[in-house]
Amino acid sequence: MMMGTHQLFKKNETYNGLYAMLLVNRLQMLYFFLIMPNILINPYMIWVLIAVGLLSQLNLLLLSKWLLTRLSSNGYNGFVQLFGKKLVRFLSFIGLFFILLKISVITLGFSEIVQTFILPSTDTNFLVFFILLLCFYVAGRGVEHTIRFVLISFFCTFWMITFFVFFVFPPIAQLSDLYPLIPMEWKVENWKAVFLILSSYSGPEFLVFLGPWLKTNNKTFRYLSYGNALTVVEYVFLFIASLFYFGSNFLSKTQYPIINMGRYLQNPVFERIDIMMLSFLLFNLVFAVSLFLLLFYGASKIAFGKMSKPTSGKGLLFSVFLIFIGMVLVNELFWKSWEKQNFLLNLQIIAGSISYFLVPLVIVLVMKKEGVKKHAST
Amino acid sequence: MLLHKKLCKRLILLFMTFWLSGCAPVTENNLIEEISPVTFLSISKGDKGKLKVSTIMPPLSKENKFVMSQEVSLLKEGVQKYNFNFYQEIKSGQMRMLVISDELGKDGIMSIINVLLTDPDISPRIYLVLVKGNFDEYLESQLDKDENFDYSFYRMLKHYEEKNQGELTVVNLHQFKHLLYTPYSDPFLPVFKIEEDGVNYEGTALFKDDKLVETISSLDERIFQLINNDHYLKVLPIPEFEIVLGHVRSKIIVDIDSSYSTMTYTVNIDTRIEEYRGEKQLFDPQQLENMKKDIETHLEKQTYELVKKMQELKVDPLQLGIQTKRPFSKPMEEKKWIEMFEKMDIKIKYNINIDPLTDANSKRPNL
């Protein structure tokens, strides 16, 4: 199972625009979209969803500028050229916390949903353990295979959205559920919703580290945009469907709106469609967490100055183990109590917003300063 | 390669240790022989504010069935008491119906609804039914005659829900909750009455918030089906004119004036005459026209009284308040709407379009 783990970051082939598109889309559809309607609540948030989606488009433009440079395809050395060795070490050290926070929130959030709907008597730590075990396997195959796994993840999860078409037709859909369409008053909670949206769109910033594996050309930005546009459509569609199903008043009371909507669907073969949905969503989670595990391992190697040593399965296992311990701690200390979980969620909302906003921006600014030029690779 | 095999073995060992050491992560036992997935619960008022929870056991295995009922103060406590009493464990995953007694309905059923909503095992599609009379006693009497009474009752509800056939009100948990928690609307439930010949559909129960306030039946009930629930009726008998209208389809236009003082409620109906035992010559266009006018006036009067009743009870199952929502203005508060609704002048207008009698003998033989 661990064949070739000593070549975790080896680069044999590069992936084309389609993969870039799927990467963007699936990294944006991780966990927050499951709880999003519960925080957005008001129908006029549809416009914010679209507006932030456009903003995210700008971010992707910056991102594609970086991906088009020769430096980006050099991986670590590229970053060293840009920032200098010490700064890169420092930044990767900070990055470790961002990755840990992101992995913790999506994995713990997801395992809590699984506990609520599928295995009510199971401790979430066990679920985390099994999820990480799967991710370790996928990550152990190396970056190349993990990126390729996005294809499986996409085809396992994307079709689920078609189920929700049921909710946008009468008798469930009433146009008046979408009123008022413009905000009559702006509350403080609405800002939280805005940041949640921004944070939900985050994820593609991790693509800056995947430069060596992406085949970039002048069409790259177009593909990244397609991925982002797909996400905007999915978000808006799911939000409108949940407004129709729950009504704006009840949305704040339902913790997992999307899964609860899945429970209302009926099928003569499967009664619990929500269980099936969650099981398939696991593919997406495993894909994302595996990618983050590899990034975590890579970043920790850089941060602790072990770049000269070859990558090993043991090293990856050790960092997975560390992450597992960290996650169990986070679970016990924060996630299990409601108020503290909210704190952690807010933290991730802010961290996600910041990282998505700053990473591409800073890189492009530094690039401008250093006078790095685009290269047209084929 | 050797390393990887070793690692693999170690992981499997670790995995096994968890399972064998009793740290098994799954503690629920769902072995089919050992559980009883109940199909319905019947809840009525017990002594001293307690709840009486009953169901038919065992729901699956071919053993003698019996009615089990417990008096408890909390609904889930009832489920626990069943487990203490019977060798199979109760599971609620297959629950299809919740039968609530009308006395309990009058006290409010919010807490029960919340219990159902919280349990992820219970589908939001379970049917809620209100029953007048002693349902438990009826169940006992049915056990010998019709073992699968609960199943046939469920099939009946499912049949009428499926295509909105416009015969009975069928409400599931989600719909009830939606009407309960959405502003400008009040929920309603079907009412069944226990009589000697069985369980009969009586009409629709109107709720104010979560409390039963009124049951509407006969012609009112038919009108309610027509203007709200399904907008379709298979048959609409009007005994006053000795006529039965069939396949009645309705389209509603609600118009509230800008000062919210008058509401014009227009019902456009397409139908055909299904049966007629009166004296009029309905082949004569003039007489048919008269007949139409008579039915229109009659229905207008009845509907007016029905809406008047809703105004007096301050309930809005027709969701008329939604008409006041506008895309670019702040929605008014629900309280304000109810106050306005109470004082509102209601005008009911029926426009009936009747297909003339066809394929029938133009002259009645006894004339």
Side-chain angles (χ1 to χ4, degrees), chain A residues 1-2 116 120-122 126 130 166 176 179-182 184 245-246 249-250 263-264 266 271-272 317, chain B residues 4 15 23 25 27-28 94 96 119-122 125 172 174 177-178 181 183 322 325 327-330:
Chain A
M1 126 181 155
M2 303 289 300
T116 314
S121 55
T122 310
F126 278 103
F130 292 128
F166 170 75
S176 58
Y179 297 160
L181 273 171
I182 47 164
M184 292 299 146
Y245 180 70
F246 291 104
N249 279 65
F250 195 74
R263 288 175 56 212
Y264 193 65
Q266 54 181 3
E271 265 187 7
R272 295 285 299 271
L317 184 63
Chain B
H4 125 245
F15 187 74
C23 285
T27 54
E28 294 225 348
Q94 284 296 321
R96 305 298 170 133
D119 192 341
D121 278 348
I122 296 175
R125 280 195 183 261
N172 65 30
H174 163 70
K177 172 208 80 178
H178 194 66
Y181 286 105
I322 283 185
K325 271 181 130 184
F328 302 111
S329 60
K330 199 182 168 187

Side-chain angles (χ1 to χ4, degrees), chain A residues 319-339:
Chain A
S319 53
V320 172
F321 186 68
L322 272 186
I323 286 179
F324 176 61
I325 299 288
M327 231 187 281
V328 169
L329 283 177
V330 171
N331 196 10
E332 296 298 328
L333 295 177
F334 291 99
W335 202 264
K336 284 189 176 172
S337 89
W338 177 241
E339 309 91 54

